[in-house]
Each structure stands twice: as structure tokens, then as C-alpha cells.
Amino acid sequence: MTGSLIGLGAGYVGSFMVLRRMSLVGDALSHVALPGIAISLLININPFFGAFIALFLAILGIWFLEKRTELPSETLVGIFFTLSLALGLLLTPEPELMEALFGNISKITTLDLIITAGLVSVTIIVLRRISEGLMLGIISKELAQAIKIPIHKINFIFLILVAFIVALGLKVAGTLLMGSLVIMPAAAARNTSLSLSQYSRWSTLFGVLSAIGGILAARYFGIEPGPTIVLTAGVIFVLTLFFKHK
Amino acid sequence: MDSNAILTVKNLNVSFDGDHILRDLDFSVSKGDVLAIVGPNGAGKSVLFRTLLGLIPYSGEIEWIKDLKISYVPQKFSIDRELPLSTEEFLKFKKKSMADIVNVLKSVGIGSEHKNDSDHYMKHVKQHVLNQRLGWLSGGQLQRVLIAWALLDDPDVLLFDEPTAGIDVGGEETIYNLLKKLHGERNLTMLLISHDLNIVYKYANNVLCINKEMICYGVPATVLDPTSLAKLYGGEAGFYQHDHHGSR
């Protein structure tokens, strides 16, 4: 249940991350969460909060860079995020390390489910409202500004939504694999869509299918669901290549 | 200053980090004018547009008359072929009414070969334009769609940055003829950035030449003399002045 909700959110948020050429940022962001998880484990709070705070700080950084420079911030992102992965690896207590890296769906509590349901709904509602501005900003920043779309504000809201979804997904897919759950459904949906509405729908659907398929497969084989979710998403992506519009 | 002026610019200065991009510009635009803005690359033409739109901080005066609707088509507009966005969705970002969208597409000459048969026209335009990915349109079609976008909320003023960037030479002429037609039909005031002096002579009633500072301003045939052209483009460009059919 929690897994499919996360797939839903990840698919939808991911659709815009792919369009904004933020695929790598998404991947790297999930690594930033690791020191946050480590600290929450050390002081014994729900790792979601630690992860979210770490992501929030990282996102402030990205937003600031995007606003101040025209550069795609990839290099800095690469350096900064690998550093935080290293830091997280050192800080995380050994027994919890595997769990933090790859997720542990059996540890999901009812509270987690409630938080997930709430935040995924908020994310979807907010993202629907800002989707037009976000899309226009992707096509042309100037065009968007000329019709008075507050593009920096919208980008900031969007990044916060990304942080929500990534932080939520950590328990299911883990820091190493959450990035791909955000990116792959969207990449697959791009193959099969002509319009934005089709694209968002497909991406969301693929996200849910990856999560459910992956969790069922994991249960069947008695393994952790993180890798099987990502593999399911990968299979969907490969299948969509056959339906790609010219 | 002209009492018909809808835009008055006085002593306009723009600088980024201490670099002067625009220095001491003074000009005005009256209702119905077609003002061409020319100058070499890096002269600050696009910056001027963005400043006029209020997107860039400046010093000096920019005064638009009240309640003016201004539309803007930015330069170098390339759309990723893979972008999942249909032309219809793009146009609906600006205005939701399908009837308005179809009207404006007609007036920018999209699907003009089926203009007289409205059922057929809708089918054609839907199939070939509206339901297509925006990134799949040809350069000329995309430019028309962008003009349509700019016209959708019935603007009084159109700011157009290099209307024909990325369009082949034959297509350029058609786009300018279209702009001229729209100018007449819709009582538009237009500001165009162009690198092509022929276009300036042919379509504009006023020209502003800038190269960071103002070099000339007035009626094209009078102010575009060899001296100001030499100043604008450097020595050799005066050569082009009377070559109305020449290439650029």
C-alpha cells in the first residue's frame, strides 16, 4: 500500500524532473538523505524527518544555484552529493547501513503509511496546480516570466515536493535506489506520450506498477523490494521503447 | 515627446555587475508604430526587450501608458523533439477557449489551404498541429504557433525578438508579411529586433540602432546613413546599405 502510493508520487514528480533535466540531481539527492538518516538513527527519531531535513538543505542549495547561475549545477551537485554519501556511510551505524542503503519495507509502520498518504496527496494537488508554470519554464524561462509566472517560486515549490517524495521512498527503496524510481517511470512515459496529460498519466501509472510489481516479486522470492522495484521499472522502460513515437 | 506615445524611454541605463549593457537610451513608440531595433550581436537588443518588460533592473525611465497588453516572443526558441507537450496544451496555457485558439491559428495562416471548409479545417489542424508534439512542428510552423500564442490575449503591443531566427530565407519573407498583415488587421504596435536591414526598410516606420549606446533613431531611410551604419557594425557594413536584394 505504502509502496504503491510512493510509486504514484514518484512517477508524477519524476515526470517533471526528467523534463527539467534533473535526472542526475534526483539520483544524487537520494544520497544526500543518507547523513540525515544516520543522524536520525543516532538520536532515535523517525528517519523520514532526518532525511527530509537533509534533502531540504540540499534543495535550498540547488535552488539558490539555479537562481544565481545559468549553469546546470551538475558538477557541484556531483561533488557535494558524493561527499554527503561518504559522510553518511561513516555516520550510519553498521547494522542499519544495509537498511538505509536499500530500504526495508517490513519496517514500515502505520504512522509511515499515514504520513505517506498525506504527503503524496499534497504533492499531487500542488504539482497539478503548478504544472503549467513549470512546463512553461521548461520551454522558455523568458516566455514564462513575460506572462508574470513567478518562476523561481514555482521551482522552489517543486524542489520541496521532490524532497517529500524522495524522503518518503527511502524506506521502500533505500537511498541508492530511490533515485531511479523517480526517473525510470518518467523516462518510460516519455516514450509513449504525445502530450503532457498523457505523459503525467503514464508516468504515474508506471510508477505504481513498478512499485506493486517489485514488491510482489520481492515477496515471491523472499528478498528486499528495492532492487526488484527498480528492475520492474527497467523492464517497463525497455518495453516502452517498442511503442516509441518516431 | 509625442503625445500619442504609448511608450516613453528616457535616459535608460542597464548594467550587470558594473558592465554597462545599455547606456543612455532615449526613444518613444507611438500607437501603431513598427519600431525595428537593429545592432550587432551583443549590442544589448534582447536585454532592451527584457528591460522593457520589467524583467531586468534598470535606471532611468520606462513609461508605458496604462492598461496596455504587451505580448512577447523571445528569441531562439528551440523545443526538444522529445518534449511531451502537444501544441494544443501549449496554447491552452495562455487561453483555454478552443474557439479563440482556432481563430488565432487561422489568422496566423496555419492550415490556410483548407480555410474555406471549416469541418475539414478543424480535422486538418487537429491532426497536423494541435495534437502533435510542439517539438515536431517545422521551424516555420513553430514560429506561427508562437505568434499565435502571443496574439491569444489580444495584445496592444507585440515585442518580437528576431522573428525569423532559424527559418529559411523564403520563410522569413512570409513571416514578415504575416506580421505586416496582423499589424494592419489588429491595430498592433510592434517592436521587432532584427539583424536584417532590408526588413527594416521594408516594414518598419522607425528604427532604433544600438550598440550598447544609441547610435541612431528615426525614419529608416533618413537615419540609416553610412556614418551611423559604420558606427553600428564597424567599417565594412556600410556596404550593405543599398543592397536591398542582397544576402546578409
Short mmCIF file of all heavy atoms in Angstrom, two decimals, chain A residues 19 21 131-132 135-136 138-140 142-143 145-148 189-199 244-246, chain B residues 50 53 55 72-75 77-86 89-90 92-94 96 131 133-134 136 146 149:
data_model
loop_
_atom_site.label_atom_id
_atom_site.label_comp_id
_atom_site.label_asym_id
_atom_site.label_seq_id
_atom_site.Cartn_x
_atom_site.Cartn_y
_atom_site.Cartn_z
N LEU A 19 11.85 16.13 -17.36
CA LEU A 19 11.72 17.25 -18.28
C LEU A 19 12.69 18.37 -17.94
O LEU A 19 13.20 19.05 -18.81
CB LEU A 19 10.30 17.82 -18.25
CG LEU A 19 9.22 16.93 -18.83
CD1 LEU A 19 7.91 17.69 -18.84
CD2 LEU A 19 9.57 16.51 -20.24
N ARG A 21 15.54 18.06 -16.87
CA ARG A 21 16.89 17.51 -16.95
C ARG A 21 17.53 17.44 -15.57
O ARG A 21 18.65 17.86 -15.34
CB ARG A 21 17.78 18.35 -17.89
CG ARG A 21 17.20 18.40 -19.26
CD ARG A 21 18.09 19.09 -20.24
NE ARG A 21 17.47 19.07 -21.56
CZ ARG A 21 17.53 18.02 -22.36
NH1 ARG A 21 18.19 16.95 -22.03
NH2 ARG A 21 16.93 18.06 -23.53
N SER A 131 1.80 22.81 -12.49
CA SER A 131 2.37 22.11 -13.63
C SER A 131 2.49 23.00 -14.88
O SER A 131 3.46 22.92 -15.61
CB SER A 131 1.58 20.85 -13.95
OG SER A 131 0.29 21.19 -14.35
N GLU A 132 1.50 23.89 -15.08
CA GLU A 132 1.57 24.72 -16.28
C GLU A 132 2.77 25.67 -16.22
O GLU A 132 3.51 25.81 -17.19
CB GLU A 132 0.29 25.54 -16.45
CG GLU A 132 -0.88 24.67 -16.84
CD GLU A 132 -2.08 25.47 -17.30
OE1 GLU A 132 -2.03 26.73 -17.26
OE2 GLU A 132 -3.07 24.85 -17.71
N MET A 135 5.98 23.76 -16.72
CA MET A 135 6.20 23.38 -18.11
C MET A 135 6.65 24.57 -18.94
O MET A 135 7.58 24.48 -19.72
CB MET A 135 4.88 22.82 -18.68
CG MET A 135 5.03 22.20 -20.03
SD MET A 135 6.05 20.72 -19.92
CE MET A 135 6.20 20.27 -21.62
N LEU A 136 6.00 25.71 -18.74
CA LEU A 136 6.40 26.90 -19.49
C LEU A 136 7.82 27.30 -19.16
O LEU A 136 8.59 27.70 -20.04
CB LEU A 136 5.47 28.06 -19.15
CG LEU A 136 4.35 28.31 -20.13
CD1 LEU A 136 3.52 29.47 -19.64
CD2 LEU A 136 4.92 28.62 -21.51
N ILE A 138 10.11 25.31 -18.44
CA ILE A 138 10.99 24.37 -19.12
C ILE A 138 11.16 24.77 -20.58
O ILE A 138 12.26 24.74 -21.13
CB ILE A 138 10.42 22.93 -19.02
CG1 ILE A 138 10.53 22.45 -17.57
CG2 ILE A 138 11.16 21.99 -19.95
CD1 ILE A 138 9.67 21.24 -17.26
N ILE A 139 10.07 25.18 -21.21
CA ILE A 139 10.15 25.58 -22.63
C ILE A 139 10.98 26.85 -22.76
O ILE A 139 11.90 26.93 -23.55
CB ILE A 139 8.76 25.85 -23.22
CG1 ILE A 139 7.86 24.63 -23.06
CG2 ILE A 139 8.87 26.22 -24.68
CD1 ILE A 139 6.46 24.92 -23.54
N SER A 140 10.62 27.86 -22.02
CA SER A 140 11.35 29.12 -22.10
C SER A 140 11.11 29.94 -20.85
O SER A 140 9.99 30.34 -20.55
CB SER A 140 10.89 29.91 -23.33
OG SER A 140 11.23 31.27 -23.18
N GLU A 142 12.00 32.90 -20.29
CA GLU A 142 11.59 34.28 -20.58
C GLU A 142 10.12 34.37 -20.91
O GLU A 142 9.44 35.30 -20.51
CB GLU A 142 12.40 34.82 -21.75
CG GLU A 142 13.84 35.04 -21.36
CD GLU A 142 14.73 35.20 -22.55
OE1 GLU A 142 14.24 35.06 -23.69
OE2 GLU A 142 15.92 35.48 -22.35
N LEU A 143 9.65 33.37 -21.67
CA LEU A 143 8.24 33.37 -22.03
C LEU A 143 7.39 33.30 -20.77
O LEU A 143 6.38 33.99 -20.64
CB LEU A 143 7.96 32.15 -22.92
CG LEU A 143 6.72 32.22 -23.78
CD1 LEU A 143 6.84 33.34 -24.79
CD2 LEU A 143 6.50 30.90 -24.49
N GLN A 145 8.26 34.24 -17.71
CA GLN A 145 8.37 35.48 -16.94
C GLN A 145 7.56 36.60 -17.57
O GLN A 145 6.98 37.42 -16.88
CB GLN A 145 9.83 35.90 -16.82
CG GLN A 145 10.59 35.05 -15.83
CD GLN A 145 12.06 35.35 -15.83
OE1 GLN A 145 12.64 35.70 -16.87
NE2 GLN A 145 12.71 35.22 -14.69
N ALA A 146 7.51 36.58 -18.92
CA ALA A 146 6.81 37.65 -19.61
C ALA A 146 5.32 37.61 -19.32
O ALA A 146 4.66 38.64 -19.37
CB ALA A 146 7.06 37.58 -21.12
N ILE A 147 4.76 36.43 -19.04
CA ILE A 147 3.35 36.42 -18.66
C ILE A 147 3.21 36.31 -17.14
O ILE A 147 2.22 35.82 -16.62
CB ILE A 147 2.51 35.37 -19.40
CG1 ILE A 147 3.00 33.95 -19.11
CG2 ILE A 147 2.51 35.60 -20.89
CD1 ILE A 147 2.01 32.90 -19.59
N LYS A 148 4.23 36.80 -16.45
CA LYS A 148 4.17 37.00 -15.00
C LYS A 148 4.02 35.72 -14.20
O LYS A 148 3.30 35.67 -13.21
CB LYS A 148 3.03 37.96 -14.62
CG LYS A 148 2.99 39.25 -15.43
CD LYS A 148 3.74 40.36 -14.71
CE LYS A 148 3.68 41.68 -15.47
NZ LYS A 148 4.40 41.69 -16.74
N ALA A 189 7.48 6.85 -19.73
CA ALA A 189 6.28 7.56 -20.16
C ALA A 189 6.57 8.51 -21.31
O ALA A 189 5.75 8.72 -22.19
CB ALA A 189 5.68 8.34 -19.00
N ARG A 190 7.78 9.04 -21.33
CA ARG A 190 8.13 9.97 -22.39
C ARG A 190 8.12 9.26 -23.75
O ARG A 190 7.80 9.86 -24.76
CB ARG A 190 9.49 10.58 -22.11
CG ARG A 190 9.80 11.70 -23.05
CD ARG A 190 10.62 12.74 -22.36
NE ARG A 190 12.02 12.47 -22.58
CZ ARG A 190 12.93 13.42 -22.55
NH1 ARG A 190 12.59 14.65 -22.29
NH2 ARG A 190 14.18 13.13 -22.73
N ASN A 191 8.46 7.98 -23.72
CA ASN A 191 8.44 7.23 -24.97
C ASN A 191 7.04 7.10 -25.54
O ASN A 191 6.86 7.01 -26.74
CB ASN A 191 8.99 5.81 -24.75
CG ASN A 191 10.48 5.82 -24.52
OD1 ASN A 191 11.18 6.74 -24.96
ND2 ASN A 191 10.98 4.81 -23.82
N THR A 192 6.04 7.04 -24.66
CA THR A 192 4.72 6.68 -25.14
C THR A 192 3.75 7.86 -25.23
O THR A 192 2.59 7.67 -25.54
CB THR A 192 4.07 5.64 -24.20
OG1 THR A 192 4.03 6.21 -22.88
CG2 THR A 192 4.87 4.36 -24.14
N SER A 193 4.23 9.09 -24.95
CA SER A 193 3.27 10.19 -24.87
C SER A 193 3.52 11.29 -25.88
O SER A 193 4.65 11.67 -26.13
CB SER A 193 3.31 10.83 -23.48
OG SER A 193 3.43 9.85 -22.50
N LEU A 194 2.41 11.82 -26.39
CA LEU A 194 2.49 12.98 -27.28
C LEU A 194 2.23 14.25 -26.51
O LEU A 194 2.68 15.32 -26.88
CB LEU A 194 1.45 12.87 -28.38
CG LEU A 194 1.73 11.86 -29.49
CD1 LEU A 194 0.56 11.85 -30.47
CD2 LEU A 194 3.01 12.20 -30.22
N SER A 195 1.43 14.13 -25.45
CA SER A 195 1.01 15.35 -24.76
C SER A 195 1.35 15.26 -23.28
O SER A 195 1.63 14.18 -22.75
CB SER A 195 -0.48 15.57 -24.92
OG SER A 195 -1.17 14.54 -24.23
N LEU A 196 1.31 16.41 -22.63
CA LEU A 196 1.65 16.48 -21.22
C LEU A 196 0.69 15.66 -20.36
O LEU A 196 1.10 14.99 -19.42
CB LEU A 196 1.65 17.94 -20.77
CG LEU A 196 2.03 18.20 -19.33
CD1 LEU A 196 3.44 17.71 -19.04
CD2 LEU A 196 1.93 19.68 -19.00
N SER A 197 -0.60 15.70 -20.72
CA SER A 197 -1.56 14.98 -19.88
C SER A 197 -1.34 13.47 -19.99
O SER A 197 -1.35 12.76 -18.98
CB SER A 197 -2.99 15.36 -20.25
OG SER A 197 -3.19 15.20 -21.62
N GLN A 198 -1.09 13.00 -21.22
CA GLN A 198 -0.78 11.57 -21.37
C GLN A 198 0.47 11.22 -20.58
O GLN A 198 0.53 10.20 -19.90
CB GLN A 198 -0.45 11.23 -22.83
CG GLN A 198 -1.62 11.20 -23.76
CD GLN A 198 -1.13 11.03 -25.21
OE1 GLN A 198 0.06 10.85 -25.47
NE2 GLN A 198 -2.06 11.10 -26.14
N TYR A 199 1.45 12.08 -20.69
CA TYR A 199 2.75 11.83 -20.07
C TYR A 199 2.64 11.70 -18.55
O TYR A 199 3.14 10.73 -17.97
CB TYR A 199 3.67 12.98 -20.46
CG TYR A 199 5.03 13.01 -19.81
CD1 TYR A 199 5.94 11.99 -20.02
CD2 TYR A 199 5.40 14.09 -19.01
CE1 TYR A 199 7.20 12.05 -19.44
CE2 TYR A 199 6.65 14.15 -18.44
CZ TYR A 199 7.55 13.12 -18.65
OH TYR A 199 8.79 13.18 -18.08
N LYS A 244 7.64 3.50 -28.91
CA LYS A 244 8.13 4.87 -29.00
C LYS A 244 7.59 5.55 -30.27
O LYS A 244 7.61 4.97 -31.35
CB LYS A 244 9.65 4.85 -29.06
CG LYS A 244 10.31 6.16 -28.77
CD LYS A 244 11.81 5.90 -28.57
CE LYS A 244 12.65 7.12 -28.79
NZ LYS A 244 12.54 8.15 -27.81
N HIS A 245 7.13 6.79 -30.10
CA HIS A 245 6.75 7.57 -31.27
C HIS A 245 8.02 7.94 -32.02
O HIS A 245 9.04 8.20 -31.40
CB HIS A 245 6.01 8.83 -30.84
CG HIS A 245 4.69 8.53 -30.19
ND1 HIS A 245 3.57 8.25 -30.91
CD2 HIS A 245 4.34 8.43 -28.89
CE1 HIS A 245 2.57 8.01 -30.08
NE2 HIS A 245 2.99 8.12 -28.85
N LYS A 246 7.91 8.01 -33.32
CA LYS A 246 9.10 8.18 -34.16
C LYS A 246 10.06 9.24 -33.64
O LYS A 246 9.66 10.24 -33.12
CB LYS A 246 8.70 8.53 -35.59
CG LYS A 246 7.77 9.73 -35.62
CD LYS A 246 7.58 10.26 -37.00
CE LYS A 246 6.51 11.33 -36.88
NZ LYS A 246 6.36 12.30 -37.78
N ARG B 50 13.93 42.74 -22.59
CA ARG B 50 13.63 42.21 -21.26
C ARG B 50 13.51 43.33 -20.24
O ARG B 50 12.73 43.24 -19.30
CB ARG B 50 14.70 41.19 -20.85
CG ARG B 50 14.74 39.99 -21.79
CD ARG B 50 15.07 38.71 -21.08
NE ARG B 50 16.41 38.69 -20.53
CZ ARG B 50 17.48 38.30 -21.22
NH1 ARG B 50 17.36 37.92 -22.47
NH2 ARG B 50 18.65 38.31 -20.65
N LEU B 53 10.14 44.88 -20.53
CA LEU B 53 9.12 44.02 -19.92
C LEU B 53 9.20 44.02 -18.39
O LEU B 53 8.40 43.36 -17.73
CB LEU B 53 9.29 42.58 -20.41
CG LEU B 53 8.89 42.32 -21.86
CD1 LEU B 53 9.47 41.02 -22.35
CD2 LEU B 53 7.38 42.30 -21.97
N LEU B 55 11.73 42.80 -16.60
CA LEU B 55 12.36 41.59 -16.07
C LEU B 55 13.78 41.84 -15.56
O LEU B 55 14.39 40.97 -14.97
CB LEU B 55 12.41 40.49 -17.14
CG LEU B 55 11.06 40.08 -17.75
CD1 LEU B 55 11.25 39.04 -18.84
CD2 LEU B 55 10.13 39.55 -16.68
N TYR B 72 5.02 39.06 -25.82
CA TYR B 72 6.45 38.97 -26.10
C TYR B 72 6.78 37.60 -26.66
O TYR B 72 6.30 36.58 -26.15
CB TYR B 72 7.18 39.20 -24.78
CG TYR B 72 8.64 38.89 -24.74
CD1 TYR B 72 9.54 39.46 -25.64
CD2 TYR B 72 9.15 38.03 -23.76
CE1 TYR B 72 10.89 39.19 -25.56
CE2 TYR B 72 10.50 37.76 -23.67
CZ TYR B 72 11.37 38.34 -24.57
OH TYR B 72 12.70 38.07 -24.49
N VAL B 73 7.53 37.56 -27.73
CA VAL B 73 8.04 36.28 -28.22
C VAL B 73 9.56 36.31 -28.14
O VAL B 73 10.20 37.08 -28.84
CB VAL B 73 7.62 36.01 -29.69
CG1 VAL B 73 8.14 34.65 -30.14
CG2 VAL B 73 6.11 36.06 -29.82
N PRO B 74 10.13 35.52 -27.25
CA PRO B 74 11.57 35.57 -27.07
C PRO B 74 12.33 34.92 -28.22
O PRO B 74 11.74 34.23 -29.05
CB PRO B 74 11.81 34.81 -25.77
CG PRO B 74 10.63 33.95 -25.59
CD PRO B 74 9.50 34.55 -26.34
N GLN B 75 13.62 35.14 -28.20
CA GLN B 75 14.48 34.68 -29.28
C GLN B 75 14.87 33.22 -29.07
O GLN B 75 14.75 32.69 -27.98
CB GLN B 75 15.74 35.55 -29.25
CG GLN B 75 16.69 35.34 -30.38
CD GLN B 75 17.99 36.07 -30.12
OE1 GLN B 75 18.23 36.54 -29.01
NE2 GLN B 75 18.82 36.18 -31.12
N PHE B 77 14.15 29.94 -29.92
CA PHE B 77 13.20 29.14 -29.22
C PHE B 77 13.31 27.75 -29.79
O PHE B 77 12.76 27.45 -30.82
CB PHE B 77 11.85 29.74 -29.55
CG PHE B 77 10.86 29.53 -28.51
CD1 PHE B 77 10.78 30.40 -27.47
CD2 PHE B 77 10.02 28.45 -28.58
CE1 PHE B 77 9.84 30.21 -26.49
CE2 PHE B 77 9.09 28.25 -27.60
CZ PHE B 77 8.99 29.14 -26.56
N SER B 78 14.10 26.90 -29.16
CA SER B 78 14.17 25.56 -29.72
C SER B 78 13.49 24.63 -28.74
O SER B 78 13.65 24.76 -27.54
CB SER B 78 15.61 25.15 -29.95
OG SER B 78 16.24 24.97 -28.73
N ILE B 79 12.71 23.75 -29.27
CA ILE B 79 11.97 22.84 -28.40
C ILE B 79 12.42 21.42 -28.68
O ILE B 79 12.48 20.98 -29.82
CB ILE B 79 10.46 23.02 -28.60
CG1 ILE B 79 10.08 24.37 -27.99
CG2 ILE B 79 9.68 21.91 -27.94
CD1 ILE B 79 8.72 24.81 -28.31
N ASP B 80 12.78 20.76 -27.61
CA ASP B 80 13.23 19.38 -27.68
C ASP B 80 12.17 18.51 -28.38
O ASP B 80 11.01 18.54 -28.02
CB ASP B 80 13.42 18.91 -26.22
CG ASP B 80 14.12 17.58 -26.15
OD1 ASP B 80 14.19 16.88 -27.17
OD2 ASP B 80 14.60 17.24 -25.06
N ARG B 81 12.59 17.75 -29.37
CA ARG B 81 11.64 16.87 -30.07
C ARG B 81 10.99 15.87 -29.13
O ARG B 81 9.91 15.37 -29.39
CB ARG B 81 12.37 16.09 -31.18
CG ARG B 81 12.73 16.93 -32.39
CD ARG B 81 13.38 16.05 -33.46
NE ARG B 81 12.55 14.89 -33.78
CZ ARG B 81 11.52 14.91 -34.59
NH1 ARG B 81 11.17 16.02 -35.17
NH2 ARG B 81 10.83 13.81 -34.82
N GLU B 82 11.67 15.55 -28.06
CA GLU B 82 11.17 14.54 -27.14
C GLU B 82 10.21 15.12 -26.10
O GLU B 82 9.68 14.38 -25.28
CB GLU B 82 12.34 13.90 -26.38
CG GLU B 82 13.34 13.19 -27.25
CD GLU B 82 12.90 11.75 -27.54
OE1 GLU B 82 12.64 11.02 -26.57
OE2 GLU B 82 12.78 11.40 -28.71
N LEU B 83 10.03 16.43 -26.11
CA LEU B 83 9.20 17.04 -25.07
C LEU B 83 7.74 16.63 -25.21
O LEU B 83 7.12 16.89 -26.23
CB LEU B 83 9.31 18.56 -25.15
CG LEU B 83 8.66 19.31 -23.99
CD1 LEU B 83 9.57 19.28 -22.78
CD2 LEU B 83 8.36 20.73 -24.37
N PRO B 84 7.19 15.96 -24.19
CA PRO B 84 5.81 15.53 -24.32
C PRO B 84 4.83 16.67 -24.02
O PRO B 84 4.32 16.79 -22.93
CB PRO B 84 5.68 14.41 -23.28
CG PRO B 84 6.72 14.73 -22.26
CD PRO B 84 7.79 15.53 -22.92
N LEU B 85 4.61 17.50 -25.00
CA LEU B 85 3.66 18.59 -24.84
C LEU B 85 3.02 18.82 -26.21
O LEU B 85 3.73 18.99 -27.20
CB LEU B 85 4.38 19.86 -24.40
CG LEU B 85 3.51 21.10 -24.22
CD1 LEU B 85 2.60 20.96 -23.01
CD2 LEU B 85 4.35 22.36 -24.10
N SER B 86 1.69 18.78 -26.26
CA SER B 86 1.05 18.99 -27.56
C SER B 86 0.86 20.48 -27.79
O SER B 86 0.83 21.28 -26.85
CB SER B 86 -0.28 18.26 -27.62
OG SER B 86 -1.20 18.88 -26.75
N GLU B 89 -2.03 21.88 -25.88
CA GLU B 89 -1.77 22.15 -24.46
C GLU B 89 -0.97 23.44 -24.29
O GLU B 89 -1.23 24.25 -23.40
CB GLU B 89 -1.00 20.99 -23.82
CG GLU B 89 -1.86 19.77 -23.57
CD GLU B 89 -1.05 18.58 -23.07
OE1 GLU B 89 0.07 18.35 -23.59
OE2 GLU B 89 -1.52 17.89 -22.18
N PHE B 90 0.01 23.61 -25.18
CA PHE B 90 0.83 24.81 -25.10
C PHE B 90 -0.03 26.06 -25.24
O PHE B 90 0.05 26.99 -24.44
CB PHE B 90 1.90 24.77 -26.19
CG PHE B 90 2.69 26.04 -26.32
CD1 PHE B 90 3.54 26.44 -25.31
CD2 PHE B 90 2.58 26.84 -27.45
CE1 PHE B 90 4.27 27.61 -25.42
CE2 PHE B 90 3.30 28.00 -27.57
CZ PHE B 90 4.14 28.39 -26.55
N LYS B 92 -3.17 26.34 -24.74
CA LYS B 92 -4.13 26.46 -23.64
C LYS B 92 -3.50 27.01 -22.35
O LYS B 92 -4.21 27.45 -21.46
CB LYS B 92 -4.82 25.12 -23.38
CG LYS B 92 -5.91 24.86 -24.41
CD LYS B 92 -6.79 23.70 -24.04
CE LYS B 92 -8.00 23.68 -24.98
NZ LYS B 92 -8.71 22.41 -24.92
N PHE B 93 -2.19 26.96 -22.26
CA PHE B 93 -1.54 27.62 -21.11
C PHE B 93 -1.89 29.09 -21.11
O PHE B 93 -1.95 29.73 -20.06
CB PHE B 93 -0.01 27.50 -21.19
CG PHE B 93 0.53 26.13 -20.88
CD1 PHE B 93 1.84 25.82 -21.18
CD2 PHE B 93 -0.26 25.18 -20.27
CE1 PHE B 93 2.35 24.56 -20.88
CE2 PHE B 93 0.24 23.92 -19.98
CZ PHE B 93 1.55 23.61 -20.28
N LYS B 94 -2.07 29.64 -22.31
CA LYS B 94 -2.34 31.06 -22.42
C LYS B 94 -3.82 31.34 -22.34
O LYS B 94 -4.26 32.25 -21.67
CB LYS B 94 -1.77 31.56 -23.76
CG LYS B 94 -1.77 33.06 -23.94
CD LYS B 94 -0.54 33.69 -23.32
CE LYS B 94 -0.48 35.18 -23.53
NZ LYS B 94 0.27 35.58 -24.71
N LYS B 96 -7.83 29.25 -22.57
CA LYS B 96 -8.46 27.93 -22.63
C LYS B 96 -9.43 27.77 -23.79
O LYS B 96 -9.72 26.66 -24.19
CB LYS B 96 -9.21 27.63 -21.32
CG LYS B 96 -8.36 27.77 -20.08
CD LYS B 96 -7.48 26.53 -19.84
CE LYS B 96 -6.57 26.74 -18.65
NZ LYS B 96 -5.27 26.11 -18.79
N ASN B 131 -2.76 18.31 -32.16
CA ASN B 131 -2.47 17.07 -31.44
C ASN B 131 -1.05 16.57 -31.64
O ASN B 131 -0.72 15.46 -31.23
CB ASN B 131 -3.46 15.98 -31.83
CG ASN B 131 -4.87 16.33 -31.38
OD1 ASN B 131 -5.04 17.19 -30.52
ND2 ASN B 131 -5.87 15.71 -31.96
N ARG B 133 3.15 16.84 -31.11
CA ARG B 133 4.09 17.41 -30.15
C ARG B 133 4.57 18.76 -30.67
O ARG B 133 4.88 18.89 -31.86
CB ARG B 133 5.32 16.51 -30.00
CG ARG B 133 5.14 15.41 -28.98
CD ARG B 133 6.48 14.75 -28.72
NE ARG B 133 6.30 13.48 -28.01
CZ ARG B 133 7.24 12.56 -27.90
NH1 ARG B 133 8.42 12.75 -28.46
NH2 ARG B 133 7.01 11.45 -27.22
N LEU B 134 4.68 19.71 -29.77
CA LEU B 134 5.17 21.04 -30.14
C LEU B 134 6.55 20.94 -30.80
O LEU B 134 6.85 21.63 -31.77
CB LEU B 134 5.24 21.90 -28.88
CG LEU B 134 5.38 23.39 -29.07
CD1 LEU B 134 4.21 23.96 -29.84
CD2 LEU B 134 5.49 24.08 -27.72
N TRP B 136 7.69 18.78 -32.70
CA TRP B 136 7.73 18.17 -34.03
C TRP B 136 7.35 19.15 -35.12
O TRP B 136 7.44 18.84 -36.31
CB TRP B 136 6.76 16.97 -34.09
CG TRP B 136 7.27 15.78 -33.36
CD1 TRP B 136 8.50 15.63 -32.80
CD2 TRP B 136 6.55 14.57 -33.08
NE1 TRP B 136 8.59 14.41 -32.19
CE2 TRP B 136 7.42 13.74 -32.35
CE3 TRP B 136 5.27 14.12 -33.38
CZ2 TRP B 136 7.04 12.47 -31.91
CZ3 TRP B 136 4.89 12.85 -32.94
CH2 TRP B 136 5.77 12.04 -32.21
N LEU B 146 3.97 30.32 -32.23
CA LEU B 146 4.41 31.27 -31.21
C LEU B 146 3.77 32.64 -31.41
O LEU B 146 3.41 33.31 -30.44
CB LEU B 146 5.94 31.41 -31.23
CG LEU B 146 6.69 30.18 -30.74
CD1 LEU B 146 8.19 30.38 -30.86
CD2 LEU B 146 6.32 29.86 -29.31
N TRP B 149 0.38 32.26 -30.10
CA TRP B 149 0.44 32.33 -28.63
C TRP B 149 0.46 33.79 -28.17
O TRP B 149 -0.27 34.19 -27.28
CB TRP B 149 1.69 31.57 -28.16
CG TRP B 149 2.24 32.00 -26.84
CD1 TRP B 149 3.06 33.06 -26.60
CD2 TRP B 149 2.03 31.37 -25.56
NE1 TRP B 149 3.38 33.13 -25.26
CE2 TRP B 149 2.75 32.11 -24.62
CE3 TRP B 149 1.31 30.25 -25.15
CZ2 TRP B 149 2.78 31.76 -23.28
CZ3 TRP B 149 1.34 29.92 -23.80
CH2 TRP B 149 2.07 30.67 -22.89
#
